């Protein structure tokens, strides 16, 4: 953990701690302690100071500082390094720049994105502090044909994490979204680099709407976007959810490495916002309507129309809800 993280922990023990004590525990001078306290205050920590008793942590800011997210996270791969930014154009873009210099499992996080990206050149609305905008850098030993399943794995992990932390289960909308009550809570953008037939790096970009109210969304999204707060009716602690997500992602990933994707696919079939529904498909060449009837073992979606079945491997599949 970083020095600042250690200092936060020392300050958060209920009672006041003297500057001398802090200096001894951190192995630094009292002047350095004072400088670090100042730095923490600038980061939004409220720390009270008493001339004789020392320092005491009053409150933490609602920020996803790496040491806050890493607290209690015992992962061996995902999130062992967290690159944190107050603002980025796009975490996927930044992850791409870092690809060759960081370890696998590195997470790039930003409090806000000014040019957040969706698929096919679409944009992703990422206001400051209201959501979790992150990218995970992976070097999976999979063939590119397995990419649709890795995409689903990222969605499954999030559905599980939300269920664990908030006790409701958002549904998997093939191929890359999480829905609850017909609103999009999260979207995933997976980008690959490598040569033909081989995936060198995969960047899994995840956007999670956490604390927005309906009116915080731009008008064009108000009919279809949702946040975790809109479901629970209360403020949601982002750090805890993010930590749980990184845990669930790691569990699902190692499970897939060792046993394949059956478990992940079974989850998608059980907790689905797509299967058994009329859908509108845009496969990049044609737009048509049909019914989503199955998720194949390779992660493709099977559509039935006029008694004929066809497979969609990539594209947009929009459930037609009766609103
Ligand atoms: C996605 O694309 O759903 C993938 C979104 C991935 C975002 C993450 S955030 C961290 C990382 N860094 C990035 O730059 N991106 C990733 P797609 O299926 O194409 O959906 C995009 C569409 O969703 C848009 O055209 C809007 O209609 C809608 N949309 C945009 N922002 C939204 C939001 N915050 N919540 C719900 N829907 C949104």
């Amino acid at each position: 953990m970083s020095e600042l993280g250690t200092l936060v922990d020392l300050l958060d023990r209920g009672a006041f701690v003297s500057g001398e004590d802090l200096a001894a525990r951190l192995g630094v001078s009292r002047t350095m302690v004072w400088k670090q306290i100042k730095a923490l205050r600038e980061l939004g920590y409220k720390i009270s100071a008493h001339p004789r008793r020392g320092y005491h942590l009053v409150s933490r800011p609602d920020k996803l500082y790496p040491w806050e997210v890493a607290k209690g996270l015992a992962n061996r791969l995902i999130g062992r390094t967290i690159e944190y930014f107050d603002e980025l154009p796009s975490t996927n873009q930044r992850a791409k720049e870092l690809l060759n210099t960081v370890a696998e499992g590195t997470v790039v996080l930003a409090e806000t994105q000014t040019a957040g990206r969706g698929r096919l050149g679409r944009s992703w609305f990422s206001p400051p502090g209201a959501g979790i905008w992150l990218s995970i850098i992976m070097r999976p030993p999979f063939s590119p044909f397995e990419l649709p399943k890795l995409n689903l794995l990222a969605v499954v992990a999030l559905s599980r994490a939300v269920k664990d932390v908030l006790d409701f289960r958002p549904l998997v909308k093939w191929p890359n979204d999480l829905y609850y009550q017909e609103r999009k809570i999260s979207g995933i953008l997976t980008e690959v680099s490598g040569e033909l037939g081989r995936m060198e790096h995969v960047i899994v970009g995840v956007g999670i709407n956490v604390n927005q109210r309906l009116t915080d969304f731009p008008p064009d999204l108000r009919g279809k976007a949702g946040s975790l707060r809109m479901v629970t009716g209360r403020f949601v602690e982002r750090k805890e959810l993010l930590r749980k997500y990184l845990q669930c992602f790691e569990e699902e990933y190692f499970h897939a490495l060792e046993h394949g994707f059956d478990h992940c696919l079974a989850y998608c079939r059980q907790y689905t916002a797509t299967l058994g529904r009329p859908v509108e498909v845009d496969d990049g060449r044609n737009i048509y309507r049909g019914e989503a009837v199955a998720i194949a073992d390779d992660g493709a979606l099977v559509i039935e129309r006029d008694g004929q079945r066809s497979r969609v491997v990539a594209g947009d599949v929009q459930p037609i809800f009766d609103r």
Side-chain angles (χ1 to χ4, degrees):
M1 203 197 295
S2 71
E3 268 187 9
L4 288 180
T6 312
L7 178 56
V8 172
D9 272 2
L10 291 171
L11 289 168
D12 192 20
R13 300 200 165 162
F16 277 85
V17 200
S18 71
E20 205 174 336
D21 223 14
L22 289 171
R25 282 170 194 258
L26 292 169
V28 297
S29 67
R30 288 189 61 178
T31 316
M32 183 53 89
V33 168
W34 183 82
K35 278 189 181 154
Q36 290 186 350
I37 297 264
K38 189 163 168 272
L40 284 177
R41 283 178 172 151
E42 278 162 13
L43 289 172
Y45 289 85
K46 292 223 159 37
I47 298 164
S48 62
H50 187 277
R52 280 188 312 278
R53 293 160 75 197
Y55 301 100
H56 165 64
L57 182 67
V58 178
S59 68
R60 295 164 190 258
D62 174 33
K63 295 275 190 170
L64 298 174
Y65 296 134
W67 54 87
E68 295 282 357
V69 177
K71 203 168 175 306
L73 183 71
N75 281 3
R76 41 188 171 130
L77 182 70
I78 310 294
R80 290 191 54 82
T81 306
I82 296 176
E83 300 280 343
Y84 172 87
F85 301 86
D86 214 34
E87 179 182 303
L88 282 177
S90 149
T91 57
N92 268 36
Q93 182 53 42
R94 186 77 185 118
K96 206 171 280 178
E97 291 156 13
L98 291 170
L99 272 189
N100 295 308
T101 53
V102 295
E104 181 178 20
T106 295
V107 167
V108 180
L109 263 178
E111 294 287 349
T112 184
Q113 299 182 116
T114 50
R117 303 203 305 237
R119 294 176 306 149
L120 307 165
R122 292 184 287 235
S123 63
W124 183 258
F125 172 64
S126 332
I132 301 175
W133 328 119
L134 80 149
S135 301
I136 308 176
I137 295 172
M138 304 294 295
R139 299 189 184 109
F142 299 138
S143 93
F145 296 110
E146 296 189 281
L147 194 62
K149 293 186 284 189
L150 191 60
N151 222 11
L152 289 171
L153 183 147
V155 187
V156 166
L158 184 56
S159 172
R160 280 189 45 210
V162 171
K163 170 71 179 144
D164 257 36
V165 175
L166 299 172
D167 203 27
F168 73 93
R169 196 186 303 272
L171 301 175
V172 178
K173 200 211 95 183
W174 190 96
N176 70 319
D177 298 336
L178 211 55
Y179 265 58
Y180 194 74
Q181 291 168 343
E182 301 175 6
R183 288 179 176 277
K184 178 159 164 167
I185 304 270
S186 165
I188 309 257
L189 170 67
T190 306
E191 297 183 288
V192 183
S193 76
E195 292 150 22
L196 209 62
R198 202 166 72 90
M199 298 199 289
E200 204 168 327
H201 302 277
V202 177
I203 296 169
V204 183
V206 187
I208 314 169
N209 297 325
V210 183
N211 278 318
Q212 294 100 329
R213 296 188 178 90
L214 187 60
T215 49
D216 294 332
F217 287 102
D220 62 314
L221 293 181
R222 283 184 202 157
K224 54 186 179 183
S227 74
L228 299 173
R229 181 186 191 157
M230 282 163 60
V231 179
T232 60
R234 64 188 159 82
F235 178 84
V236 173
E237 187 66 61
R238 290 182 305 155
K239 292 169 209 149
E240 191 193 351
L241 178 70
L242 174 54
R243 204 176 300 128
K244 181 51 82 180
Y245 179 55
L246 299 178
Q247 266 168 19
C248 290
F249 191 101
E250 169 145 325
E251 273 170 35
E252 290 292 335
Y253 182 66
F254 280 112
H255 189 93
L257 283 182
E258 282 158 37
H259 308 286
F261 285 88
D262 287 0
H263 163 81
C264 167
L265 291 169
Y267 190 104
C268 295
R269 292 173 185 131
Q270 183 173 2
Y271 301 111
T272 176
T274 318
L275 295 182
R277 285 184 183 279
V279 290
E280 185 168 280
V281 181
D282 180 351
D283 63 11
R285 282 168 305 175
N286 300 302
I287 298 179
Y288 55 90
R289 286 189 171 202
E291 187 183 330
V293 290
I295 295 174
D297 288 344
D298 62 357
L301 186 69
V302 181
I303 305 289
E304 189 169 289
R305 64 173 162 155
D306 307 327
Q308 300 279 334
R309 290 191 166 197
S310 56
R311 287 159 42 85
V312 191
V313 182
D316 266 338
V317 175
Q318 202 50 45
I320 302 166
F321 298 117
D322 304 322
R323 286 193 187 271

